Amino acid sequence: MTRSYSFTFRIALGSAAVLACAASATLAWGPEITQEVQNPTPGSAAAAPRFKPLPPPSLNFYGSAGLIDMPSSEMLADGTYAVGYSWFGGQSRYNITFQALPWLSASFRYNGIRNLNLFGFDTYYDRGFDVRARLWREGRYRPEVTMGLQDFAGTGVYAAEYFVATKRFQTPALSRRSGPGTLKVSAGLGWGRLGSYGAIGNIGGKRPTFVGGSTGGELSYDQWFRGDFAPFGGIEWQPNERLSLKAEYSSDAYITETQVSDVFERKSALNFGLEYQYSDRTRLGAYYLYGSEIGFSAQFQLNPRQPIAPVVVPAAQPVVPRSIWAKTQAHWGQGWSQSQSQKTIYRDQVAEQLKKDGLILEAIDLQGTVAEVRFRNPRYRSTTQAMGRVARVMANYLPASVETLRVTPVQGGIGVSTLEVRRSDLEALEFDPEASAALVAVAGLSEARPLAQDALHSDELYPAFSFSTGPYTRPSYFDPSRPFRIDVGVDLKASYAPAPGWILAGTLRQRLAGNTAQGRASNSVLPHVRTDISSYAQYGTTLENLFVGRTWKPGHNLYARANIGLFETMFGGVSGEVLWKPVNSRLALGVEGNYVIQRDYDQRFSFRDYKTFTGHASAYYELGGGYLMQVDAGRYLAGDYGATLSLDRTFANGWSVGGFFTLTNVSAADFGEGSFDKGFRFRIPVGWLLGKPSRNNFGMTIRPIQRDGGQRVYVPGRLYGEIREAHRASLVDQKARIWE
């Protein structure tokens, strides 16, 4: 549990005066204090530190914070990623929710309704998106209020809108050992599905009813908060940190399931439930719903700030003051800078110390009072942390005359930035209480200069050969006949780097098991650039990719990449990219062009007849707080023209969650189911799971439906992600880690 102690104590110690003044005023409102501890805000009262995390708000059957089938106004802790499954009355719902901001959450849901008897399927599958925004926080007498849009961009089978308010109260402890309980009272007004039972009014006249079989995917804003509206509400009592008892009044008549079809029988508007917080992340529930049905749910919540295994890293070397260094190290006269042999000794010492830290010395330039180290970072998720360790090695193992330290991380054989810091500042600030901010103020960050011709390169780095083996998975989602398919197997990867900036790499793939090959055949009217996935899954041994690539710096603030070969499962060809990215700017601009040929289904060296040019102009902007917005405009694989808007949030430990959508000149009818391309993606760092420093991660991109419109080719080594990590915005966001 130590993962949360440091954070909590810092809040408590920094807020001691607030706690002392507010204790009597907030004691009777314990549940409210609990919420503020999870999401502290400036000026708000906070409870004393707790050694055990408080249970997060539970999710309803739609994957949003709520009661059972109805919503509440609660928000999850900022950054929480929640996965849930619920079932009752022949209906299954798979939910994914992300708390994008303290006041904003978004959910994706995949539903299965058995025996709907409307569209010729034994089980009718449907996808939907929800979004919720908190209008104001809970106060001492004021409830928290949230507005929600449910299934606002799907087919509309679960479409609804609502306002809901929740107030929390403290209840007496059941025993001396247990703390006080929590009572949550929620009430709201709903439209659409949530206005179909017990309506008390109408806005805008009759609302269109659900019509199955549509392509979905378009915003039904003309229906929002229109038609009948009805009240709903309920209570949740948490006698302790593990148990929750729930009761609610539902305003959903389930017309499609009980009147248009015969999925289940609705006898009552009352629902009851019992939930158990099995662990800090897992919650289980059982319910009696609508007077006739038994249901259950399982919820799993992950917060990037609470790693499963805290990352344990060997302590960094303390900075050795030069007064001590001069007494403990062999003394070289001022003429050392003219001695190649002495420079070589320093290079080898620095390389050995960096190796102990898991870093690789690329080159070192020693010029009397100035030294520059270029290094590769295969170990640490944080480039700031790696640069801090390099700076301390330089301070501890270079001659006392060296005052200016330049630290240059290398990606793809090129230096991407240079941190310049005075050695005396490192010595003076190491134990300063404001060391991180102070070092940012006195250090400089600039574009990496061309490496001096007389710099010493590390021995035996090039040519370099490496290979690895590991498992792979290839999922396929939302086939109407089977919602989830997957292939699994083994990848053999190899790469050869003959010189800095050059790479020859390939992946041999062996499929061992799976059912993607049994997926439905494509019905797309566009060129089949993605929807023939089942045809590509028919073969056991395939060549996933094989390419030659080069990266270099063609000019000031410019980076370039070129690739030729087999890029991915479906396409190979020639690709080029140029990126403009000043080190100290949040803005970056890029352009990419690709001439590609579609690969044959066996994924060897043969090709199909389809050839096309695809390319995009891109703009990237770092919004702060880990948010990155990206816009790509150009020509896609199917020959369509349009643009993609992406928004991703990356946490300091490498967690990343984001979403995107693409609009092109392909009509909704030609695009097919879903109307336009959209989806969300996430990436989880391996170190967050295993507790060991690592730059590896795993993740996936999930689309409600994979179609051919708005698709890009997957090219290895795109520039922006690697370059951004070593530029100002990312480094400053993690400035405290320079001392780790």
Side-chain angles (χ1 to χ4, degrees):
M1 305 308 296
T2 54
R3 59 183 179 273
S4 61
Y5 297 170
S6 175
F7 177 69
T8 305
F9 274 120
R10 288 172 188 168
I11 294 175
L13 292 173
S15 307
V18 176
L19 290 175
C21 296
S24 61
T26 58
L27 183 60
W29 301 86
E32 184 177 347
I33 298 174
T34 295
Q35 177 68 12
E36 295 301 330
V37 170
Q38 293 173 352
N39 296 292
T41 56
S44 65
R50 296 183 58 118
F51 289 95
K52 190 171 186 58
L54 296 176
S58 62
L59 307 180
N60 65 9
F61 275 26
Y62 289 95
S64 299
L67 295 162
I68 303 173
D69 214 22
M70 299 291 106
S72 70
S73 70
E74 298 171 281
M75 292 285 166
L76 301 174
D78 184 32
T80 296
Y81 180 81
V83 178
Y85 172 78
S86 62
W87 182 92
F88 87 94
Q91 302 173 85
S92 59
R93 299 174 189 166
Y94 302 86
N95 308 297
I96 298 175
T97 295
F98 176 58
Q99 191 71 36
L101 294 167
W103 55 271
L104 181 70
S105 68
S107 302
F108 169 74
R109 182 175 52 261
Y110 190 65
N111 319 292
I113 307 175
R114 294 182 183 178
N115 305 316
L116 193 58
N117 301 327
L118 294 179
F119 316 112
F121 296 104
D122 293 335
T123 301
Y124 174 70
Y125 293 106
D126 187 81
R127 297 161 295 278
F129 289 93
D130 302 348
V131 65
R132 292 159 43 91
R134 181 173 57 207
L135 302 183
W136 57 78
R137 280 185 178 273
E138 181 178 4
R140 182 167 178 79
Y141 301 106
R142 179 187 66 237
E144 182 177 61
V145 177
T146 292
M147 178 189 73
L149 300 176
Q150 183 173 290
D151 198 12
F152 68 93
T155 61
V157 64
Y158 289 119
E161 305 82 47
Y162 58 86
F163 291 97
V164 60
T166 299
K167 190 75 183 75
R168 284 160 285 205
F169 304 91
Q170 190 177 95
T171 61
L174 296 180
S175 67
R176 291 184 178 181
R177 291 186 176 183
S178 66
T182 302
L183 180 67
K184 303 176 185 179
V185 180
S186 298
L189 286 177
W191 285 256
R193 290 283 299 224
L194 300 185
S196 58
Y197 181 81
I200 59 174
N202 181 283
I203 297 177
K206 184 175 176 58
R207 179 185 180 122
T209 58
F210 165 67
V211 178
S214 67
T215 58
E218 297 182 329
L219 300 179
S220 53
Y221 54 84
D222 57 331
Q223 300 180 24
W224 295 347
F225 300 100
R226 176 183 171 186
D228 292 343
F229 59 89
F232 62 86
I235 60 173
E236 176 184 0
W237 179 46
Q238 295 176 294
N240 54 48
E241 295 180 347
R242 293 293 183 188
L243 292 177
S244 291
L245 301 173
K246 296 182 173 183
E248 71 176 13
Y249 169 83
S250 171
S251 59
D252 189 343
Y254 277 87
I255 294 173
T256 301
E257 294 81 1
T258 63
Q259 300 178 29
V260 178
S261 190
D262 189 22
V263 177
F264 75 98
E265 185 177 3
R266 187 186 192 279
K267 296 181 179 180
S268 170
L270 299 178
N271 299 324
F272 305 93
L274 170 66
E275 293 181 354
Y276 178 67
Q277 190 76 32
Y278 178 77
S279 70
D280 294 340
R281 298 179 174 86
T282 305
R283 191 180 186 94
L284 306 174
Y287 314 90
Y288 181 65
L289 299 103
Y290 298 105
S292 62
E293 302 297 327
I294 299 295
F296 63 86
S297 72
Q299 309 164 22
F300 190 69
Q301 299 186 19
L302 295 174
N303 192 307
R305 297 186 178 91
Q306 298 174 356
I308 291 178
V311 178
V312 179
V313 182
Q317 298 182 17
V319 176
V320 178
R322 274 172 287 186
S323 57
I324 299 176
W325 187 97
K327 297 177 182 179
T328 59
Q329 300 292 323
H331 177 70
W332 300 99
Q334 292 300 316
W336 70 264
S337 61
Q338 306 301 318
S339 171
Q340 195 67 16
S341 62
Q342 292 177 8
K343 286 185 176 182
T344 302
I345 291 174
Y346 288 130
R347 180 201 65 181
D348 294 343
Q349 287 180 339
V350 170
E352 181 63 26
Q353 294 305 314
L354 291 182
K355 185 177 180 180
K356 292 179 180 179
D357 273 332
L359 304 169
I360 300 172
L361 177 69
E362 281 265 349
I364 186 169
D365 180 30
L366 300 170
Q367 300 293 336
T369 62
V370 179
E372 179 181 358
V373 165
R374 297 198 170 204
F375 73 98
R376 272 188 270 155
N377 171 28
R379 185 179 192 185
Y380 300 101
R381 171 63 57 184
S382 168
T383 302
T384 307
Q385 183 179 8
M387 295 174 79
R389 293 198 167 218
V390 172
R392 273 178 282 190
V393 167
M394 295 174 70
N396 291 347
Y397 291 93
L398 293 182
S401 62
V402 175
E403 167 65 7
T404 301
L405 309 179
R406 293 174 179 162
V407 182
T408 302
V410 173
Q411 296 284 0
I414 56 177
V416 290
S417 67
T418 295
L419 174 70
E420 185 172 302
V421 60
R422 288 188 295 266
R423 191 172 181 172
S424 54
D425 288 334
L426 279 182
E427 295 171 351
L429 294 174
E430 183 175 21
F431 300 107
D432 190 288
E434 300 294 333
S436 301
L439 193 61
V440 169
V442 299
L445 188 68
S446 62
E447 183 179 11
R449 303 172 178 86
L451 187 63
Q453 292 185 354
D454 59 347
L456 298 177
H457 293 268
S458 184
D459 290 339
E460 300 180 358
L461 279 185
Y462 299 98
F465 175 77
S466 66
F467 71 92
S468 64
T469 59
Y472 86 88
T473 60
R474 170 163 285 172
S476 176
Y477 305 101
F478 312 135
D479 182 333
S481 61
R482 187 183 293 270
F484 180 71
R485 298 181 186 274
I486 190 170
D487 285 350
V488 297
V490 177
D491 278 347
L492 172 62
K493 299 180 179 180
S495 65
Y496 174 73
W502 286 91
I503 188 170
L504 168 64
T507 301
L508 190 65
R509 173 164 290 182
Q510 178 61 53
R511 176 179 172 272
L512 298 178
N515 58 358
T516 304
Q518 285 76 54
R520 63 174 175 175
S522 173
N523 62 355
S524 177
V525 301
L526 300 174
H528 294 185
V529 295
R530 292 297 179 204
T531 53
D532 279 344
I533 182 63
S534 61
S535 298
Y536 283 93
Q538 303 290 329
Y539 298 87
T541 304
T542 59
L543 185 61
E544 177 67 10
N545 57 52
L546 180 64
F547 63 92
V548 176
R550 187 194 173 205
T551 56
W552 73 99
K553 278 182 65 68
H556 179 54
N557 291 330
L558 293 177
Y559 304 85
R561 169 192 59 81
N563 296 77
I564 183 170
L566 307 175
F567 299 146
E568 43 135 306
T569 300
M570 299 184 183
F571 288 94
V574 180
S575 175
E577 179 186 6
V578 176
L579 177 71
W580 174 80
K581 175 65 174 77
V583 169
N584 295 305
S585 174
R586 293 182 177 272
L587 175 68
L589 302 174
V591 61
E592 176 184 289
N594 312 285
Y595 179 75
V596 294
I597 309 174
Q598 191 168 30
R599 298 179 65 187
D600 212 343
Y601 296 144
D602 63 2
Q603 297 152 78
R604 304 293 174 83
F605 294 100
S606 56
F607 296 90
R608 298 174 61 79
D609 293 335
Y610 187 72
K611 305 175 183 178
T612 189
F613 175 82
T614 175
H616 288 79
S618 302
Y620 313 83
Y621 192 78
E622 295 175 281
L623 301 172
Y627 287 93
L628 170 67
M629 183 172 66
Q630 178 177 341
V631 179
D632 306 287
R635 191 173 194 261
Y636 294 85
L637 281 172
D640 46 335
Y641 292 86
T644 300
L645 175 64
S646 306
L647 183 64
D648 293 270
R649 183 181 184 184
T650 301
F651 294 85
N653 59 10
W655 255 82
S656 177
V657 181
F660 62 91
F661 68 88
T662 301
L663 299 176
T664 73
N665 59 346
V666 172
S667 67
D670 287 343
F671 182 91
E673 187 177 0
S675 299
F676 61 94
D677 189 55
K678 54 191 170 295
F680 62 93
R681 54 199 174 207
F682 66 90
R683 185 180 68 236
I684 301 176
V686 171
W688 189 88
L689 298 171
L690 302 182
K692 298 179 181 180
S694 172
R695 289 183 61 82
N696 295 326
N697 60 73
F698 73 91
M700 62 181 63
T701 297
I702 299 177
R703 288 176 164 85
I705 188 69
Q706 177 67 77
R707 303 296 291 175
D708 292 312
Q711 300 301 308
R712 297 184 67 179
V713 63
Y714 302 123
V715 180
R718 282 192 167 113
L719 295 170
Y720 181 76
E722 298 291 340
I723 301 300
R724 173 199 180 198
E725 287 185 2
H727 282 197
R728 175 172 293 276
S730 296
L731 295 177
V732 172
D733 279 349
Q734 300 189 35
K735 60 181 181 291
R737 306 201 69 177
I738 200 166
W739 299 105
E740 293 182 4

